[in-house]
Amino acid sequence: MKLQQLRFIREVARHGLNVSATADSLYTSQSGISKQIRMLEDELGLKIFQRGGKHLTEITQAGEVIIDLADNILEQVDKLQQVAQEYTDEQKGTLAIATTHTQARYVLPTIVSGFRKKYPEVSLHMHQGTPVQISELAARGTVEFAIATEALELFDNLVMMPCYHWNRSVIVPRDHPLTELERLTLRAIAAYPIVTYVFGFTGRSQLDRAFNRAKLEPRVVFTATDADVIKTYVRAGMGIGIVASLAYDPELDEDLACLDASHLFQQATTRIGFRRGIFLRNYMYEFIELFAPHLTRKLVQQAAQTDDRKGLDRLFRELELPAY
C-alpha cells in the first residue's frame, strides 16, 4: 500500500469520480491513476469504486470508509511534513487563503504586504470564491485559512474566529437625490433600483432581513460578487449601490457619494478560520495576528481546543472588535 494510492482514491472522490479531472489536477495520467486504484483494491481484496464500463459510477460502502481513513492518514502525513519544516526552516513554506473579493481587494493587501516583508520566502496563494467554495477549500485542506462573513453554518468543521465588525453604505452619483437627505431611510432606498451583492455574499442576508422587517420589497435589478463591478453599474446608471463600507475608496471613487447606512442594517462580522486539527506553523499564527491583532497565539490555541461553535462564542464573548 502506497501513500500515492491513498491520495489517488481521495482525489478521485473529491473530483466526483472523474478520473480525467483528477489526473489533470495531479499532473499525472488517467491510466496511471486507474492502475494504482486497481492495485490497491486487489491488495485489500475489495472494491472501492463501482464501475460501468471504463467509468467509475459510485463509491462502495467499504470505499466510503477507506477513503475517509485515507483522508485522515494523508492529513497526518501533511502534519509530519509541516512539523519537520517548522523545525528545519521556519522562514520557508506556503500559505493558502480562501476569501471573498471584498476581503482580497480592500482588506488583505496591507496585511499581505506586511507579512511578505517579514516572511519573504513564504509563498502566498489567494483563492476567491463563494462562502460554499471557501468552506470546501478549507475543509479539504486545499487552503490553510478561510476568511468569510456569510453562511457560517457551512463552517462546522472549521475553527472560525471573529476579526472585525463592518456595515454598509449606499453608493450613488454625487448629484443623486439621496445625497440631499439628512438621514437615509429604508423606504427612501427602496424607491430606487438597487445594485448589490449576490445572496449569500458579504452580508447580503442582513440586508434582505432589514427590508423584510420593514415590510418593504427592494427592487434588486443587478447582483454581483465584486464591489468594483457593483460600482461600475452604479456609474452606468443602473441603480444605487449597497456595498460594504470598506469597499469605498475616497480617491478612486471620488465621482461617487458614499452615504452611511449603518443605522439601517445589522452589523456583520468577518471571521478567519482553519480546519480542526491542522498544524499551525509560527508564520501562520503571525498572519492571523496581523489580520486581527486581538487573536493572539494563546487565544488561537484555546480556540483550536474548543469543540463547538457555542464554546467558541463563549471564548470570544468579551472581545471588543474593531468596526469599519
Side-chain angles (χ1 to χ4, degrees):
M1 187 181 303
K2 304 174 183 176
L3 289 175
Q4 182 190 52
Q5 294 170 334
L6 301 182
R7 188 166 286 109
F8 283 168
I9 63 171
R10 181 184 69 177
E11 293 306 312
V12 165
R14 287 179 174 179
H15 284 83
L17 308 188
N18 187 324
V19 179
S20 175
T22 305
D24 289 342
S25 71
L26 296 176
Y27 304 101
T28 187
S29 67
Q30 296 182 51
S31 59
I33 289 176
S34 298
K35 179 181 178 181
Q36 290 298 324
I37 289 174
R38 287 192 180 277
M39 289 174 63
L40 179 59
E41 289 177 326
D42 290 343
E43 182 178 348
L44 295 174
L46 50 79
K47 296 294 182 186
I48 297 171
F49 301 103
Q50 295 287 4
R51 292 167 174 80
K54 294 183 179 180
H55 300 287
L56 305 180
T57 57
E58 63 179 319
I59 303 171
T60 66
Q61 186 174 358
E64 294 280 4
V65 177
I66 290 168
I67 291 169
D68 188 50
L69 289 171
D71 191 41
N72 291 335
I73 291 168
L74 291 169
E75 184 177 338
Q76 296 304 313
V77 170
D78 289 342
K79 278 187 187 178
L80 286 173
Q81 293 171 337
Q82 292 266 7
V83 171
Q85 193 167 19
E86 178 67 17
Y87 286 97
T88 56
D89 195 342
E90 63 179 25
Q91 298 295 316
K92 289 185 178 180
T94 61
L95 177 57
I97 301 160
T99 190
T100 63
H101 168 269
T102 297
Q103 304 297 329
R105 167 70 176 81
Y106 294 101
V107 182
L108 285 169
T110 302
I111 309 303
V112 168
S113 177
F115 180 82
R116 286 283 299 149
K117 286 178 182 177
K118 188 163 187 179
Y119 293 98
E121 294 189 80
V122 173
S123 178
L124 279 166
H125 306 279
M126 190 84 69
H127 301 254
Q128 294 181 46
T130 67
V132 173
Q133 292 167 335
I134 293 168
S135 172
E136 289 176 348
L137 288 168
R140 291 200 317 238
T142 305
V143 301
E144 280 75 36
F145 293 149
I147 299 175
T149 298
E150 287 279 2
L152 286 181
E153 68 277 2
L154 300 173
F155 296 83
D156 276 345
N157 63 338
L158 306 181
V159 180
M160 298 298 291
M161 304 169 292
C163 300
Y164 60 85
H165 300 308
W166 59 268
N167 216 305
R168 297 148 197 79
S169 291
V170 173
I171 306 294
V172 296
R174 289 203 168 272
D175 59 353
H176 195 278
L178 285 180
T179 62
E180 299 176 7
L181 297 179
E182 289 187 13
R183 188 174 173 86
L184 276 182
T185 66
L186 286 175
R187 189 168 297 280
I189 294 172
Y192 296 93
I194 294 171
V195 182
T196 191
Y197 298 108
V198 173
F199 188 81
F201 248 81
T202 316
R204 170 67 190 274
S205 60
Q206 281 115 334
L207 183 151
D208 292 331
R209 282 196 291 269
F211 282 109
N212 288 337
R213 283 194 299 268
K215 296 186 164 84
L216 294 170
E217 287 194 23
R219 288 186 291 147
V220 178
V221 297
F222 183 85
T223 61
T225 61
D226 183 328
D228 290 336
V229 171
I230 292 171
K231 287 184 284 187
T232 296
Y233 282 88
V234 170
R235 291 184 173 101
M238 184 168 285
I240 64 173
I242 303 179
V243 298
S245 297
L246 51 82
Y248 176 78
D249 187 316
E251 294 183 5
L252 296 178
D253 302 322
E254 61 179 357
D255 59 322
L256 299 174
C258 180
L259 309 178
D260 178 41
S262 60
H263 58 289
L264 300 177
F265 305 108
Q266 180 183 353
Q267 68 181 6
T269 304
T270 291
R271 290 173 167 81
I272 186 170
F274 50 86
R275 182 177 177 178
R276 293 184 185 279
I278 72 166
F279 176 76
L280 292 177
R281 297 188 60 186
N282 183 61
Y283 63 74
M284 296 178 184
Y285 283 108
E286 294 216 26
F287 182 90
I288 293 173
E289 196 163 353
L290 276 173
F291 187 67
H294 57 277
L295 294 178
T296 62
R297 185 185 188 112
K298 180 179 179 181
L299 191 55
V300 172
Q301 289 173 338
Q302 287 178 303
Q305 294 167 5
T306 304
D307 294 331
D308 55 40
R309 191 179 300 163
K310 287 183 178 179
L312 287 173
D313 289 343
R314 287 193 297 271
L315 180 63
F316 297 118
R317 187 174 295 155
E318 303 302 321
L319 285 179
E320 290 189 15
L321 302 182
Y324 299 99

